[in-house]
Amino acid sequence: MNFVSDNQAGAHEAVLAALQNANTGNSPGYGEDDLTAAAENAVGAVFETDCDVFFVTTGTAANALAMSALCPPWGAIYCHEGAHIQNDENTAVELLTGGARMVPIAGEGGKPDPELMRVHMTTATVHGVHNARPGAISLSNVSESGTVYRPNDLAPYRALADEFQLALHVDGARFANAVVASKASPADLTWRAGVDCLSFGLTKDGGIAAEAVVIFNGGMAEQFAYRRKRAGHLWSKQRFLAAQWLALLEDDLWLTNASHANEMARRLATGFSAHPDIDLPWPVDANELFPVIPGSIRETLRAEGLEFYDWPAQPDMTRFVTHYETDSEDIARALEIIAGARVA
Amino acid sequence: MNFVSDNQAGAHEAVLAALQNANTGNSPGYGEDDLTAAAENAVGAVFETDCDVFFVTTGTAANALAMSALCPPWGAIYCHEGAHIQNDENTAVELLTGGARMVPIAGEGGKPDPELMRVHMTTATVHGVHNARPGAISLSNVSESGTVYRPNDLAPYRALADEFQLALHVDGARFANAVVASKASPADLTWRAGVDCLSFGLTKDGGIAAEAVVIFNGGMAEQFAYRRKRAGHLWSKQRFLAAQWLALLEDDLWLTNASHANEMARRLATGFSAHPDIDLPWPVDANELFPVIPGSIRETLRAEGLEFYDWPAQPDMTRFVTHYETDSEDIARALEIIAGARVA
Amino acid sequence: MNFVSDNQAGAHEAVLAALQNANTGNSPGYGEDDLTAAAENAVGAVFETDCDVFFVTTGTAANALAMSALCPPWGAIYCHEGAHIQNDENTAVELLTGGARMVPIAGEGGKPDPELMRVHMTTATVHGVHNARPGAISLSNVSESGTVYRPNDLAPYRALADEFQLALHVDGARFANAVVASKASPADLTWRAGVDCLSFGLTKDGGIAAEAVVIFNGGMAEQFAYRRKRAGHLWSKQRFLAAQWLALLEDDLWLTNASHANEMARRLATGFSAHPDIDLPWPVDANELFPVIPGSIRETLRAEGLEFYDWPAQPDMTRFVTHYETDSEDIARALEIIAGARVA
Amino acid sequence: MNFVSDNQAGAHEAVLAALQNANTGNSPGYGEDDLTAAAENAVGAVFETDCDVFFVTTGTAANALAMSALCPPWGAIYCHEGAHIQNDENTAVELLTGGARMVPIAGEGGKPDPELMRVHMTTATVHGVHNARPGAISLSNVSESGTVYRPNDLAPYRALADEFQLALHVDGARFANAVVASKASPADLTWRAGVDCLSFGLTKDGGIAAEAVVIFNGGMAEQFAYRRKRAGHLWSKQRFLAAQWLALLEDDLWLTNASHANEMARRLATGFSAHPDIDLPWPVDANELFPVIPGSIRETLRAEGLEFYDWPAQPDMTRFVTHYETDSEDIARALEIIAGARVA
């Protein structure tokens, strides 16, 4: 019963079949092929708007390249102190932006406190060239604490972006789960809420390596193709990237996959909540759970075959992640084990 | 009859089958899986030595990351003036090295003239901090003119590398074709000839996105993992990169593929050589041909269905590339067409 | 009565006289002149050791270049959250290191809490390539809160540096004031306490533009000359930089200047401490004071001609700085004004 | 008799006097002082236009920062293959632009051939993201061969800049000498001829460290202040930079100095031209001469006390440079020695 991470999942069969189908003789390289054009259009259709779509291979590449387009090298990027872009992507942002500054911001449930952000931005603005200039806000939806922003939740950040003339980015490594959880349309969760750019990831949702930078603000897209190329992220056989996207977007497979993952998480959450000695500090909006579990119970769970991370944010905190191929029978078994575990 | 580029080919069936086989439930992410370890070992076995192997997605990433490990940010990188790393990879080297300087060197048949290199290196050394310090030599084997270095051909470059204490790199985007053409072992073509680092590419040889940086000089491998990560080139589902390598290395499929490509090119070369109005200025060592073809014949060839590039290095020069799935009947047909084409 | 900043002072007469004396016909450029050699030796003599000395023009250049020598591009740099290198030097560190990560650490009196540092370093180490690797600690002596480290105070940071194999840097923009305040020798305050590299600034102490990077750890000095050159910080007429150093080091003028500045601050501190409504939260070790002054008193002081900064670290906090040419009669007058000011 | 370089000269007395005069008590730091504003205005007056002026310390800083404002990180910068920015400033351009590509272009007398430039630009444009995008042209006036561009000479480069939508930069490390030699106004030599940005250097013309980036194209000036700061090139006591400019611009001292230097070079040129065994391949437009002198004569000249560089561009080539304080009696003596030297 593996709940370690959704990036430990395999690839959806439809994705592998699509690779097979894409393998039809010669094709133009470097993204000038028909499948790439079709996949870019398919992403545009998801968002009901014209937008610029750039496929890449990893979430780190998507985030750092997005930042390079949104923020000048002397800019500050504000994100939650626990965000993936801050803690799990080494110094990719610094490298690809040419040296922008990360500014981690505290906040409940994985969401940076807008008022704290405001203080930082104001100070930096007053300080002129001496400080990094406010450049971009990066939120994660789903957040690194498993919580989800609904469209209205994005308003305070958009207001800051307007006030300080900076860009609003969303790291959507689990965007499918956020869409399902929020019941909002992809458009409402992004550009209609003032998001300038989305890192849209389907790797965790059934792809092999399926990430995209989606730019809603045309001015920011200018020259992005150069950025992707010089970072080594333009595939020669780009159609094999595009094919994954077409497979996952077809018939909303991406949402079906995410719905399953979220439902599996919901069931697990019920089990944790019902346990007298286990606490769930943050709402389980999507497919991640962060139960606080006493050490002796953790040992029992592991002895019974449950795999999960210890999470450094709080003492005794753990992380469980479900995904598109999490087995509902595994969940049922896990729930029994959880229910039966007692503090030693 | 498409002879435009070997990166316009599809993927070998064995590669797609390997992806399918790799798709077996949960697996550790970020290269900590068994397939990655197995593939790294398999590459080591090819070279009959301990070496450090880092899988990446594109040749541009492999080359620029290799340079970042071999050359300091204030270093000069010497390569042929027609090299891919110089002309076709934007400013990836500058980005990933932190600003090293490319120094293009002229030379016959895609091979930089060692004496010219020496002049540049001497001047730079005398000039101290004012000039970029000699940092690395990058050769392409197969070269950008389709010629191949045999082990002895590498000696003058290694001598320069020793004299100026710099690193020797080989861009092996078509390394399989070079191995087949030279009849030398991979070890003899690399570390035994003093090569410190190889960009080893199998994308053009049947992969989807199968490139590797192979470092023979342990000291240079230090911290490479950090470089790959911060450039966004560490896949979460790394096993799908590794699986391609295992498939192509198994039973020397990579060499079988390259042998076919080289043989197809050899046949085409025969046809071009036999034609009274077509010149082949460089030896056809591997799977690329650069025939100089009068304009009216080019028109005829295209009218008859041959696809190929015009090549900017000389007037009337063209480029034809064969690959692992080039059809021998296509070649036969092309030979007939070539034989029958006449200057208008 | 200007107490705004010690960089608003002019230059000491001895410095201007030294420029005049250095102006004697032709001289080799780019630091190959005799004055530069003499000044480098003079700095070495101050520290009673062989060390590598690189003169530059600004403290920002000194700090960021020092970081580039001490910390890899994927490294983390730990400093106090209020440090100049963190808040007042834009993104110079990111630019000149090639993208290292700044990690601000809280702590009393401008000194980062070693235990908090330790938590960050441990987490980063466990997290491997995913996080910035611990690379360097940067302390400011005098700190940004006007406090001073004595040699023993540096021990916990050196212990961390040893444990995590990273470098220890001191930003000595006011190093003269720290030497005077601590009564420790320059050697005891640096390399004997395990400091690998010092940004040694005399601009605030009577120079025009007199900063130096002093590297005590030979291995780290390698190639620093290339770093300085490519950042545009090697003067052609370098002797005019060196002359400033010789003037200020001669007969310990730098310490005489700093003694005066510290004494002027001590007197001011007495006045603030004696006032019933003014608080001095941090010890006044050197030439900076951060009194917390009620708004109506601040207005009175300004109306009477005192110039000083409001300081954002706390409500009602201000900053007063004295320097080598602060007039003792100004101090006497200021003390009277302070003593007479009352909350409205 | 030192003819090695104009940066081996000292500083003009008026400059040192200006530093003394600037040393009047406290003054706002970081360029917010009155002298800086006055000096910026004085530079504007020289060019008879509104322009943005940023004082820095070295020509390398001026050039590389200028490039960072004119050219994107994925851009190509075209300059003469012998230009200072290409050969004598290490990899400063790569560092401060974030990785732009230098493209050296051959050409007579230190001036890059516009037709060769055109070929490179066309190829790069056709090649799209795969090649560095044409970004900027950088000319040196005076050129590295001592020749001068008159306003009309700039037209072909401006035409290329318009055609490929790139920026035109002039490295004016010896701009004063070019103004004097060309008899054109500073405005005619720059913005009226389509120059977007000038590196304006007075260090060689009597300053200590007096360089400026002058931006005529407002759009390019945006955010330059951030670039200067993060490169460590904003002095805290900026007035001491500004004072040098005011002194040199007052009563056209900068042109008087350059006139003297040019006249001294002219006299030397007469002597070289008259010598039967010495060749002057390039016109001596300004204050640099590149006579080709047989080895035995070189020995004689040196034995008689003449100091000069051997120049690597051609066998037997040398470089002589005069400057604002070159002694006319030294010239007279040198002319005698040259006239009397014979091939051994």
Side-chain angles (χ1 to χ4, degrees):
Chain A
M1 289 162 284
N2 183 312
F3 303 108
V4 173
S5 177
D6 36 6
N7 64 36
Q8 299 206 354
H12 195 279
E13 278 310 313
V15 166
L16 292 174
L19 295 185
Q20 191 75 53
N21 291 338
N23 193 27
T24 55
N26 289 292
S27 163
Y30 297 111
E32 294 172 13
D33 61 284
D34 294 343
L35 282 182
T36 295
E40 289 173 1
N41 286 336
V43 172
V46 162
F47 291 98
E48 308 169 51
T49 188
D50 276 345
C51 53
D52 294 283
V53 179
F54 298 89
F55 298 119
V56 294
T57 308
T58 69
T60 297
N63 283 339
L65 284 169
M67 287 301 106
S68 79
L70 300 182
C71 180
W74 49 85
I77 298 166
Y78 305 87
C79 67
H80 189 263
E81 62 187 4
H84 202 268
I85 198 174
Q86 164 74 13
N87 290 327
D88 300 275
E89 304 185 354
N90 200 283
T91 50
V93 165
E94 285 89 346
L95 173 63
L96 295 187
T97 59
R101 167 72 52 90
M102 297 301 298
V103 181
I105 304 284
E108 286 300 301
K111 300 179 180 177
D113 182 330
E115 278 317 299
L116 277 178
M117 264 192 193
R118 206 167 187 294
V119 170
H120 277 273
M121 291 172 184
T122 304
T123 302
T125 303
V126 168
H127 211 33
V129 298
H130 299 280
N131 207 186
R133 197 178 74 176
I137 299 170
S138 180
L139 306 173
S140 305
N141 199 10
V142 180
S143 86
E144 209 64 17
S145 300
T147 58
V148 164
Y149 295 89
R150 278 81 186 173
N152 283 346
D153 301 332
L154 298 168
Y157 305 102
R158 184 64 246 173
L160 284 171
D162 288 339
E163 181 179 353
F164 290 95
Q165 290 185 278
L166 43 78
L168 182 58
H169 167 258
V170 166
D171 176 357
R174 296 183 179 94
F175 187 66
N177 306 88
V179 169
V180 168
S182 68
K183 299 193 175 68
S185 75
D188 286 344
L189 263 190
T190 55
W191 61 274
R192 285 203 195 110
V195 172
D196 296 301
C197 177
L198 173 73
S199 296
F200 186 5
L202 291 184
T203 305
K204 297 179 199 294
D205 196 41
I208 283 175
E211 306 286 325
V213 177
V214 185
I215 304 179
F216 300 109
N217 177 334
M220 291 172 179
E222 196 198 340
Q223 307 175 332
F224 195 92
Y226 285 91
R227 295 186 184 279
R228 178 175 57 174
K229 171 65 185 178
R230 74 195 296 255
H233 283 287
L234 179 63
W235 284 27
S236 56
K237 298 182 177 176
Q238 181 89 352
R239 56 176 151 163
F240 291 111
L241 257 181
Q244 300 177 51
W245 280 87
L246 288 167
L248 288 164
L249 295 184
E250 193 176 349
D251 295 334
D252 285 341
L253 177 58
W254 67 299
L255 296 175
T256 305
N257 283 351
S259 294
H260 175 79
N262 286 10
E263 170 60 17
M264 294 300 102
R266 197 195 56 75
R267 292 187 197 171
L268 266 188
T270 310
F272 286 127
S273 297
H275 195 289
D277 298 312
I278 297 178
D279 185 36
L280 266 175
W282 301 319
V284 177
D285 287 343
N287 66 323
E288 293 181 291
L289 307 93
F290 296 84
V292 178
I293 308 178
S296 60
I297 296 187
R298 293 206 302 276
E299 277 176 39
T300 302
L301 300 187
R302 283 181 167 131
E304 301 280 347
L306 272 64
E307 296 175 67
F308 52 91
Y309 267 138
D310 292 327
W311 202 247
Q314 292 182 25
D316 287 335
M317 183 172 268
T318 65
R319 190 185 77 164
F320 288 70
V321 190
T322 59
H323 56 67
Y324 76 96
E325 58 182 9
T326 298
D327 186 348
S328 60
E329 295 188 18
D330 272 8
I331 295 288
R333 235 181 336 138
L335 287 171
E336 279 177 39
I337 293 165
I338 292 163
R342 286 288 166 270
V343 175
Chain B
M1 287 162 284
N2 183 312
F3 303 108
V4 173
S5 178
D6 36 6
N7 63 37
Q8 299 205 353
H12 196 280
E13 278 309 313
V15 166
L16 292 174
L19 295 184
Q20 191 75 55
N21 292 337
N23 193 28
T24 54
N26 289 293
S27 162
Y30 298 111
E32 293 173 12
D33 60 284
D34 294 343
L35 282 182
T36 295
E40 289 174 0
N41 286 337
V43 172
V46 163
F47 291 98
E48 308 168 51
T49 187
D50 275 345
C51 53
D52 294 283
V53 180
F54 297 89
F55 298 119
V56 294
T57 308
T58 70
T60 297
N63 282 339
L65 284 170
M67 287 302 106
S68 79
L70 301 181
C71 179
W74 49 86
I77 296 166
Y78 305 88
C79 67
H80 189 263
E81 62 186 4
H84 202 268
I85 197 175
Q86 164 74 13
N87 291 327
D88 300 275
E89 304 185 355
N90 200 282
T91 50
V93 164
E94 284 89 345
L95 174 62
L96 295 188
T97 59
R101 167 71 54 89
M102 296 302 298
V103 181
I105 304 284
E108 286 301 301
K111 300 178 180 178
D113 182 331
E115 278 316 300
L116 278 178
M117 262 191 194
R118 205 167 188 295
V119 170
H120 276 273
M121 291 172 184
T122 303
T123 302
T125 303
V126 168
H127 212 31
V129 298
H130 299 280
N131 208 186
R133 197 178 75 175
I137 298 170
S138 179
L139 306 173
S140 304
N141 201 9
V142 180
S143 86
E144 208 64 17
S145 299
T147 57
V148 164
Y149 295 88
R150 278 81 186 172
N152 283 347
D153 302 332
L154 298 169
Y157 305 102
R158 183 64 247 173
L160 283 171
D162 287 340
E163 182 179 351
F164 290 95
Q165 290 185 280
L166 43 78
L168 182 57
H169 167 258
V170 167
D171 175 358
R174 295 182 179 95
F175 187 66
N177 305 89
V179 169
V180 167
S182 68
K183 299 192 174 70
S185 74
D188 286 344
L189 263 189
T190 54
W191 61 274
R192 283 201 196 110
V195 172
D196 295 301
C197 177
L198 173 73
S199 295
F200 186 4
L202 291 184
T203 305
K204 296 177 198 295
D205 195 42
I208 284 176
E211 306 286 325
V213 177
V214 185
I215 303 178
F216 301 109
N217 177 331
M220 291 172 179
E222 194 197 341
Q223 306 175 333
F224 195 91
Y226 284 91
R227 295 186 184 279
R228 178 175 58 173
K229 171 66 186 180
R230 74 196 295 257
H233 283 288
L234 178 63
W235 284 26
S236 56
K237 297 182 177 176
Q238 182 88 352
R239 56 175 153 162
F240 291 110
L241 261 180
Q244 300 177 54
W245 281 88
L246 288 167
L248 288 164
L249 295 184
E250 191 175 350
D251 295 334
D252 285 341
L253 177 57
W254 67 298
L255 296 175
T256 305
N257 284 352
S259 293
H260 176 78
N262 286 10
E263 170 59 17
M264 293 300 102
R266 197 196 55 75
R267 293 188 197 171
L268 265 188
T270 311
F272 286 126
S273 297
H275 195 289
D277 298 313
I278 296 178
D279 185 37
L280 265 175
W282 300 319
V284 177
D285 288 343
N287 66 322
E288 293 181 290
L289 307 94
F290 296 84
V292 177
I293 309 178
S296 59
I297 296 187
R298 292 206 302 276
E299 278 176 40
T300 303
L301 300 186
R302 283 181 167 132
E304 301 280 348
L306 273 63
E307 295 176 69
F308 53 91
Y309 268 138
D310 293 328
W311 202 247
Q314 292 182 25
D316 287 336
M317 184 170 268
T318 65
R319 189 185 76 164
F320 288 69
V321 190
T322 58
H323 56 68
Y324 77 96
E325 58 182 8
T326 297
D327 186 348
S328 61
E329 294 189 19
D330 272 8
I331 295 289
R333 234 178 340 135
L335 287 171
E336 279 177 40
I337 294 165
I338 292 164
R342 286 289 165 270
V343 175
Chain C
M1 289 162 284
N2 183 312
F3 303 108
V4 173
S5 177
D6 36 6
N7 64 36
Q8 299 206 354
H12 195 280
E13 279 309 312
V15 166
L16 292 174
L19 296 184
Q20 191 74 54
N21 292 336
N23 193 29
T24 54
N26 289 293
S27 163
Y30 298 111
E32 295 172 12
D33 60 284
D34 294 343
L35 283 182
T36 295
E40 289 173 2
N41 286 336
V43 173
V46 163
F47 291 98
E48 307 169 52
T49 186
D50 275 346
C51 53
D52 294 282
V53 180
F54 298 89
F55 298 119
V56 295
T57 307
T58 69
T60 297
N63 282 339
L65 284 169
M67 288 301 105
S68 79
L70 301 182
C71 178
W74 49 87
I77 296 166
Y78 305 88
C79 68
H80 189 264
E81 63 185 3
H84 202 268
I85 197 173
Q86 164 74 13
N87 290 326
D88 300 275
E89 304 185 353
N90 201 283
T91 51
V93 164
E94 285 88 344
L95 174 62
L96 294 187
T97 60
R101 167 71 53 90
M102 297 302 298
V103 181
I105 304 284
E108 286 300 301
K111 300 179 180 178
D113 181 332
E115 278 317 299
L116 278 178
M117 265 193 190
R118 207 167 185 294
V119 170
H120 277 273
M121 291 173 183
T122 303
T123 302
T125 302
V126 168
H127 212 32
V129 298
H130 300 280
N131 207 188
R133 196 177 75 174
I137 298 170
S138 180
L139 306 174
S140 305
N141 201 10
V142 179
S143 86
E144 209 63 16
S145 300
T147 57
V148 164
Y149 295 89
R150 278 81 187 174
N152 283 347
D153 301 331
L154 298 169
Y157 305 102
R158 184 63 248 174
L160 283 170
D162 288 339
E163 180 179 353
F164 290 95
Q165 291 185 279
L166 43 79
L168 181 58
H169 167 257
V170 167
D171 175 358
R174 296 184 179 93
F175 187 66
N177 306 90
V179 169
V180 167
S182 68
K183 301 194 174 68
S185 75
D188 285 343
L189 262 190
T190 56
W191 61 275
R192 285 204 194 108
V195 172
D196 295 302
C197 177
L198 172 73
S199 296
F200 186 5
L202 291 184
T203 305
K204 296 179 199 295
D205 195 42
I208 283 174
E211 306 286 325
V213 178
V214 185
I215 304 179
F216 300 108
N217 177 331
M220 291 171 178
E222 194 196 341
Q223 306 175 334
F224 194 92
Y226 285 91
R227 295 186 184 279
R228 178 175 59 174
K229 172 66 184 177
R230 75 196 295 255
H233 283 287
L234 178 63
W235 284 26
S236 56
K237 298 182 178 176
Q238 182 88 353
R239 56 176 152 163
F240 292 110
L241 257 181
Q244 299 177 53
W245 281 88
L246 287 167
L248 288 164
L249 296 184
E250 192 176 348
D251 294 335
D252 285 341
L253 176 59
W254 67 297
L255 296 175
T256 305
N257 284 350
S259 293
H260 175 78
N262 287 10
E263 170 60 16
M264 294 300 101
R266 196 194 56 74
R267 293 188 196 170
L268 266 188
T270 311
F272 286 127
S273 296
H275 194 289
D277 298 313
I278 297 178
D279 186 36
L280 266 175
W282 301 320
V284 177
D285 287 343
N287 66 321
E288 293 181 292
L289 308 94
F290 295 84
V292 178
I293 308 178
S296 59
I297 296 186
R298 293 205 301 277
E299 277 176 41
T300 303
L301 300 187
R302 282 180 168 133
E304 301 279 346
L306 273 63
E307 295 175 67
F308 53 89
Y309 267 139
D310 292 327
W311 203 247
Q314 293 182 23
D316 287 335
M317 184 172 267
T318 64
R319 189 184 77 163
F320 288 69
V321 190
T322 58
H323 56 68
Y324 76 97
E325 58 182 9
T326 297
D327 186 347
S328 60
E329 293 188 20
D330 272 8
I331 296 288
R333 242 189 322 144
L335 288 171
E336 279 177 40
I337 293 166
I338 293 163
R342 286 290 166 268
V343 175
Chain D
M1 289 162 285
N2 183 310
F3 303 108
V4 173
S5 177
D6 38 5
N7 63 37
Q8 300 206 353
H12 195 281
E13 279 310 312
V15 166
L16 293 174
L19 296 184
Q20 191 75 54
N21 292 337
N23 193 29
T24 54
N26 289 292
S27 163
Y30 298 111
E32 294 172 13
D33 60 285
D34 293 343
L35 283 182
T36 295
E40 289 173 1
N41 286 337
V43 173
V46 163
F47 292 99
E48 306 169 51
T49 187
D50 276 345
C51 53
D52 294 283
V53 179
F54 298 88
F55 299 119
V56 294
T57 307
T58 70
T60 297
N63 282 338
L65 284 170
M67 288 302 106
S68 79
L70 301 182
C71 179
W74 49 87
I77 297 166
Y78 305 88
C79 67
H80 189 264
E81 62 186 4
H84 202 269
I85 197 173
Q86 164 74 15
N87 291 327
D88 299 277
E89 303 185 353
N90 200 283
T91 50
V93 165
E94 286 88 344
L95 173 62
L96 294 188
T97 60
R101 168 71 54 90
M102 296 302 297
V103 181
I105 305 284
E108 285 301 300
K111 299 179 181 178
D113 182 331
E115 278 318 299
L116 278 177
M117 264 192 193
R118 210 171 182 292
V119 171
H120 276 273
M121 290 173 185
T122 304
T123 302
T125 303
V126 168
H127 212 32
V129 298
H130 299 280
N131 207 186
R133 196 178 75 174
I137 298 170
S138 180
L139 306 174
S140 304
N141 202 10
V142 178
S143 85
E144 208 65 15
S145 300
T147 57
V148 164
Y149 295 89
R150 278 81 186 172
N152 284 346
D153 302 331
L154 298 169
Y157 304 102
R158 183 63 246 173
L160 284 169
D162 287 339
E163 181 178 352
F164 291 95
Q165 291 186 278
L166 43 78
L168 182 57
H169 167 257
V170 167
D171 176 358
R174 295 182 179 96
F175 187 66
N177 306 89
V179 169
V180 167
S182 68
K183 301 192 175 68
S185 75
D188 285 345
L189 264 190
T190 56
W191 62 273
R192 284 204 195 108
V195 172
D196 295 302
C197 177
L198 172 73
S199 296
F200 187 4
L202 291 184
T203 305
K204 297 179 199 295
D205 195 41
I208 283 174
E211 307 286 324
V213 178
V214 185
I215 304 179
F216 300 108
N217 177 331
M220 292 171 178
E222 195 197 340
Q223 306 175 334
F224 195 92
Y226 285 91
R227 296 186 183 278
R228 178 175 59 174
K229 171 66 186 178
R230 74 195 295 256
H233 283 287
L234 179 61
W235 285 25
S236 55
K237 298 182 178 175
Q238 181 88 352
R239 56 177 153 161
F240 291 110
L241 261 180
Q244 300 177 51
W245 281 87
L246 287 168
L248 288 164
L249 296 184
E250 192 175 349
D251 294 334
D252 285 342
L253 176 58
W254 66 299
L255 297 174
T256 304
N257 283 352
S259 293
H260 175 78
N262 286 10
E263 170 60 17
M264 294 300 101
R266 196 194 57 75
R267 293 187 196 171
L268 267 187
T270 311
F272 287 126
S273 297
H275 195 289
D277 299 312
I278 296 178
D279 186 38
L280 266 176
W282 302 319
V284 177
D285 287 343
N287 66 322
E288 292 181 292
L289 307 94
F290 296 83
V292 177
I293 308 178
S296 59
I297 297 187
R298 292 205 302 276
E299 278 175 39
T300 303
L301 299 187
R302 284 181 166 131
E304 301 279 347
L306 272 63
E307 295 175 68
F308 52 91
Y309 267 139
D310 292 328
W311 202 247
Q314 292 182 24
D316 286 337
M317 183 171 269
T318 63
R319 189 184 76 163
F320 288 69
V321 190
T322 58
H323 56 69
Y324 76 97
E325 58 182 9
T326 297
D327 186 347
S328 60
E329 294 188 18
D330 272 8
I331 295 289
R333 240 185 328 143
L335 287 171
E336 279 178 40
I337 293 165
I338 292 163
R342 286 290 165 269
V343 174

